[in-house]
Amino acid sequence: MIVVTGATGTVGGHVARLLSAHHPTRVLGRSRGRLREAAPGADAVGADFADRRSLERALDGARALFVVTTDPSRPDHDENLLAAARTAGVEHVVKLSALAVTDEGATDLITAWQRENEERVRACGLAWTILRPRSFMSNTLSWAESIRASGAVLTPQPHSRNASVDPRDVAEAAVVALTAPGHGQRHYALTGPEPISPAEQCEHLAEVLARPVRCCEIPLERAYLSWARRYPEPIAQALLDSARRQGEGAKQHVDPAVEKLLGRPARSYRDWAKDHAERFG
Ligand SMILES: NC(=O)c1ccc[n+]([C@@H]2O[C@H](COP(=O)([O-])OP(=O)(O)OC[C@H]3O[C@@H](n4cnc5c(N)ncnc54)[C@H](OP(=O)(O)O)[C@@H]3O)[C@@H](O)[C@H]2O)c1
């Protein structure tokens, strides 16, 4: 039995659907209804990262665990998952981290939290695999409303490049790590096939949608104010630091791990855009 967390979210959802087609799979989360909708082929169990006992029950009989957590103010979530995994006799933990942990200049809250999460995983006494993706291509879904409404994207640093990765490739890499031998005590840097800028992403979207998509630059300070309206201040600050690093070229490196793990090239942004065109109206 393989247990998947985050199955109502982006990467965990793909992982659960891929796994459940071939392996006994359980999805763990706060709403069984949402889990059943997201991963109909998996066994859905209610549990909360804040409640260790609920995690122990959900992990009963599990051989492997896929860990996705999202709240940098809650280090107890990863601690609880690892403690419950040990109690339940889980053999292998695959952890979704972030490639920023390898950037020396990355000292923001989210990256520091992921570094600590990785430390916990490496020290947990179980077999582990740490996946370190670059930014998800699906982050550009946040442009969909503005593209539908005005055919325009407002973004800071439109010509800064990021080797962003298709979350479906991240999920396929997770499935390999969870099911095939030889991936214990390994870190994998997961990137797309090339660094790409917001302006270039808009060009691909325009081609796929067969209508213009303008890419309009806004100052970083304005982007920060919009993040600060949506997120707590430390998260908005972390996003600002991250955007600055992208502007300095820190996120352009392409790693061959996706191709080596999956035996085919990483999906391009154009592939992603074609497959999600309907989301942009
Ligand atoms: N976005 C990027 O560009 C990027 C890049 C690199 C790394 N990452 C890393 O990727 C991870 C996020 O992955 P994602 O985008 O696939 O996640 P996501 O779509 O935001 O989904 C988060 C999942 O966590 C579940 N969850 C949240 N709190 C929970 C709790 N207390 N108990 C049980 N389940 C809980 C949610 O379930 P419910 O809400 O349904 O309960 C949901 O399924 C983060 O660790 C992030 O640092 C992201």
Side-chain angles (χ1 to χ4, degrees):
M1 174 68 72
I2 302 174
V3 174
V4 177
T5 63
T8 58
T10 306
V11 175
H14 289 303
V15 171
R17 289 186 290 276
L18 289 168
L19 269 181
S20 60
H22 303 286
H23 303 271
T25 303
R26 187 179 296 153
V27 287
L28 161 177
R30 290 177 290 191
S31 155
R32 291 180 72 200
R34 283 201 301 272
L35 288 167
R36 283 201 200 97
E37 211 173 297
D43 175 28
V45 176
D48 192 305
F49 299 154
D51 176 356
R52 191 166 141 187
R53 296 277 168 267
S54 74
L55 298 173
E56 285 171 6
R57 284 192 296 275
L59 287 170
D60 186 38
R63 176 189 66 73
L65 169 66
F66 181 57
V67 174
V68 180
T69 55
T70 55
D71 188 344
S73 71
R74 297 298 301 261
D76 59 312
H77 285 181
D78 283 75
E79 285 163 10
N80 286 341
L81 277 160
L82 292 174
R86 276 194 305 268
T87 304
V90 169
E91 293 163 23
H92 188 181
V93 172
V94 177
K95 166 70 183 163
L96 185 61
S97 177
L99 191 46
V101 300
T102 63
D103 300 347
E104 273 180 25
T107 55
D108 64 90
L109 175 83
I110 298 172
T111 308
W113 163 72
Q114 287 288 29
R115 283 198 188 103
E116 284 164 20
N117 288 338
E118 287 199 2
E119 280 300 318
R120 281 185 202 99
V121 169
R122 286 187 289 267
C124 77
L126 308 175
W128 53 262
T129 310
I130 293 176
L131 304 179
R132 293 170 167 167
R134 196 45 99 190
S135 308
F136 299 164
M137 291 174 179
S138 52
N139 293 351
T140 59
L141 284 172
S142 68
W143 297 344
E145 198 181 323
S146 150
I147 289 178
R148 279 195 302 269
S150 63
V153 166
L154 305 181
T155 177
Q157 308 177 132
H159 301 293
S160 65
R161 291 200 168 96
N162 183 319
S164 59
V165 62
D166 191 318
R168 294 173 298 182
D169 286 351
V170 178
E172 285 185 38
V175 169
V176 170
L178 287 161
T179 57
H183 299 289
Q185 328 314 101
R186 301 260 175 111
H187 305 91
Y188 293 112
L190 305 178
T191 72
E194 68 206 338
I196 185 166
S197 68
E200 290 160 339
Q201 289 174 315
C202 287
E203 283 169 23
H204 285 299
L205 286 170
E207 209 177 312
V208 161
L209 298 172
R211 62 175 197 273
V213 175
R214 285 176 296 120
C215 189
C216 308
E217 179 163 14
I218 56 166
L220 254 185
E221 296 68 32
R222 188 168 151 201
Y224 168 77
L225 290 176
S226 117
W227 292 324
R229 275 194 296 276
R230 271 184 287 159
Y231 304 108
E233 204 282 326
I235 302 287
Q237 185 63 47
L239 295 173
L240 178 65
D241 291 354
S242 172
R244 284 207 179 106
R245 287 201 310 281
Q246 177 162 329
E248 290 157 6
K251 303 185 184 179
Q252 302 201 46
H253 175 74
V254 170
D255 194 281
V258 167
E259 182 154 2
K260 282 190 186 152
L261 284 168
L262 306 186
R264 57 152 178 86
R267 289 178 171 100
S268 67
Y269 185 76
R270 194 180 153 70
D271 296 333
W272 182 90
K274 267 196 293 191
D275 293 342
H276 296 83
E278 83 288 353
R279 304 283 297 273
F280 295 87

